[in-house]
Amino acid sequence: MRDGGLADITEEFAGWDEAEDTDPAAEQSVTVGGKVYGAPFFVGVRALYYRTDVFEQLGLDAPRTQDELAEAARTIREQRPEMYGIAVGGAYTYGAAPFIWANGGELATEKDGSYASALDSPAARKGIKAYTGLFGDHNCPAAKCAGMSGNDTVTAFASGKAGMAIGGDFSRQAMEDGEVKGKYAVVPLPGTEEGDIAPAFAGGNNLGVLRSSSHRTLAVGLMKSLAGKKTQARLFEEMGFLPTYSDVRTKAAQEEPFIAPFVKTLDAGAKFVPASPGWAAIDSSQVLPTMFQQIISRDKTVAEATDEAARRMDDAFGSTG
């Protein structure tokens, strides 16, 4: 989009009846500077997997707040020392981000198309402290967990080494193929207050039209057909991809109860990363994982690590315009 490769289809998107039911986070993923450059194709989101057998044996209920989550993790670790209470990773940006968002923080703020890091805000620091507080011998030892990625945490849970993990709707097969088959359930990742759902990162895939297309009308029509409700419903039936339309998704959850917690999470309000070319540089240079790992290893305080990460983010945003 920055290089002008995709066509601005704002007008066509606004006139497309089906687009009215598009999930806001999904629509944000195709919107830059107030202009729409594509159509959401499918969406993926994360929630909290937990071991039903372990929770029953220890007399635990599925956590309803992040404090309850931390306490349940500690209890599991105490009573089942061979397990992590909740598998967390220092290199798991999209598992950590909901803690930032649930505490009122943001990764970055936008004004007139330009972004600035918000990691050094009090609210973001509170969420970062909550997430990094899950690392240690009381839950997930730093020596083992600081370098873990999202895939690593899912693998740990699927292999029976954790009582909880933050995984996606797309993680189901790993669980079914693992040691936890028939022994797990999923609930939305809780927020800071009972009844709240922590905002989750909404990923997925989008479709667009090349700006250079000599058949723009046909190309837009094909995009609408491929990203339309009928196709997305079929994609869910055949491949399990979550639809980006709220009404299609609700129907899918009625037909397949497993996805209900993920749909509930999306309906509560998911988030997307900053729509800036700078985010690619921030992500590839591991700015957030480095920050988490500095705090987990106690090389830096939360304030020091977030200050440094914010500077690196602002440099990346500034260098890409």
Side-chain angles (χ1 to χ4, degrees):
M1 288 180 286
R2 181 181 177 228
D3 297 325
L6 292 178
D8 175 358
I9 61 162
T10 305
E11 185 175 341
E12 291 93 335
F13 194 85
W16 185 18
D17 290 344
E18 291 191 355
E20 294 179 0
D21 297 316
T22 300
D23 181 89
E27 184 173 345
Q28 182 188 353
S29 74
V30 296
T31 304
V32 178
K35 296 181 179 180
V36 178
Y37 291 91
F41 190 38
F42 63 84
V43 66
V45 73
R46 293 168 177 81
L48 183 69
Y49 285 77
Y50 71 98
R51 286 280 298 273
T52 51
D53 56 334
V54 173
F55 270 65
E56 182 178 353
Q57 291 163 11
L58 300 182
L60 298 171
D61 295 321
R64 296 163 294 182
T65 67
Q66 289 186 0
D67 284 345
E68 287 187 5
L69 184 151
E71 184 58 34
R74 185 183 293 272
T75 298
I76 293 168
R77 181 69 172 171
E78 288 176 349
Q79 300 298 317
R80 300 283 193 276
E82 73 281 6
M83 300 176 71
Y84 306 133
I86 178 171
V88 287
Y92 193 7
T93 297
Y94 300 122
F99 289 81
I100 296 174
W101 291 325
N103 281 275
E106 297 288 348
L107 301 180
T109 55
E110 184 266 342
K111 183 177 181 181
D112 299 328
S114 296
Y115 283 87
S117 176
L119 290 180
D120 53 355
S121 72
R125 284 174 171 168
K126 185 177 181 181
I128 291 166
K129 184 177 181 181
Y131 183 71
T132 55
L134 295 171
F135 293 79
D137 291 342
H138 62 285
N139 174 51
C140 204
K144 294 184 177 180
C145 302
M148 284 170 56
S149 65
N151 287 338
D152 293 330
T153 65
V154 169
T155 298
F157 182 85
S159 62
K161 296 178 181 178
M164 295 178 283
I166 299 169
D169 57 283
F170 42 84
S171 304
R172 184 182 190 182
Q173 195 58 52
M175 310 311 183
E176 290 296 295
D177 292 341
E179 297 295 322
V180 298
K181 182 177 181 179
K183 299 183 288 188
Y184 70 89
V186 185
V187 293
L189 183 67
T192 57
E193 301 293 331
E194 187 171 336
D196 289 347
I197 295 175
F201 167 71
N205 279 52
N206 303 321
L207 300 176
V209 172
L210 292 176
R211 186 181 179 187
S212 60
S213 174
S214 57
H215 302 284
R216 178 187 172 102
T217 300
L218 288 174
V220 171
L222 177 60
M223 181 199 70
K224 289 181 178 180
S225 177
L226 291 174
K229 291 185 177 183
K230 184 176 180 180
T231 304
Q232 289 199 17
R234 185 71 182 274
L235 275 172
F236 173 74
E237 292 172 3
E238 300 295 333
M239 303 182 73
F241 294 157
L242 285 182
T244 64
Y245 300 101
S246 56
D247 55 339
V248 179
R249 206 162 55 215
T250 297
K251 183 179 179 182
Q254 293 170 348
E255 296 173 354
E256 175 50 84
F258 167 78
I259 70 164
F262 301 100
V263 171
K264 192 173 182 180
T265 297
L266 285 165
D267 290 345
K271 296 270 194 177
F272 193 65
V273 297
S276 163
W279 181 257
I282 292 165
D283 195 33
S284 64
S285 59
Q286 300 283 295
V287 173
L288 271 71
T290 297
M291 174 191 70
F292 295 132
Q293 290 161 357
Q294 288 172 337
I295 297 167
I296 294 163
S297 65
R298 299 185 180 179
D299 287 342
K300 293 183 184 294
T301 65
V302 172
E304 291 168 344
T306 53
D307 280 345
E308 179 180 311
R311 286 194 296 271
R312 292 181 65 190
M313 286 180 68
D314 288 340
D315 286 344
F317 288 137
S319 67
T320 55

